[in-house]
């Protein structure tokens, strides 16, 4: 659900012509589906090792982006 929500949010931002302020650091250079899957799984492992729920972390980041952009733009991203 959180990955789906993140993808949906980014699509809405793109359609509205708004660029999200996201980290540009891509250490793993995921240029294929397999590489991206490995990178995502590695992030989940890092989160678990730190006692962080990755699902909750991604939902909260989506909430932060929605809040920031909603404050700047007259745009409802919650639909």
């Amino acid at each position: 659900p959180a990955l789906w929500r993140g993808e949906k949010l980014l699509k809405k931002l793109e359609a509205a012509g708004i660029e999200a302020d996201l980290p540009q650091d891509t250490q793993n250079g995921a240029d294929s589906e397999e590489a991206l899957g490995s990178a995502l799984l590695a992030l989940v492992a890092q989160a678990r090792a730190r006692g962080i729920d990755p699902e909750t972390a991604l939902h909260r980041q989506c909430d932060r982006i929605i809040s920031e952009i909603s404050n700047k733009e007259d745009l409802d991203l919650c639909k």
Side-chain angles (χ1 to χ4, degrees):
L3 279 175
W4 173 82
R5 183 178 184 217
E7 181 181 10
K8 184 176 174 182
L9 173 60
L10 293 175
K11 282 182 183 179
K12 284 185 175 190
L13 292 175
E14 183 179 354
I18 299 171
E19 200 169 308
D21 185 20
L22 301 172
Q24 296 302 311
D25 183 77
T26 54
Q27 293 176 349
N28 295 317
D31 56 359
S32 70
E33 185 177 293
E34 183 179 353
L36 179 59
S38 292
L40 288 170
L41 194 56
L43 286 172
V44 170
Q46 289 175 22
R48 289 187 68 227
R50 291 172 174 82
I52 298 169
D53 175 25
E55 187 78 11
T56 300
L58 184 52
H59 273 298
R60 287 185 178 159
Q61 184 59 27
C62 287
D63 289 343
R64 282 189 285 275
I65 290 171
I66 289 169
S67 179
E68 286 176 16
I69 290 173
S70 294
N71 288 336
K72 293 178 188 175
E73 308 282 335
D74 186 22
L75 185 65
D76 185 7
L77 296 172
C78 297
K79 292 181 183 178

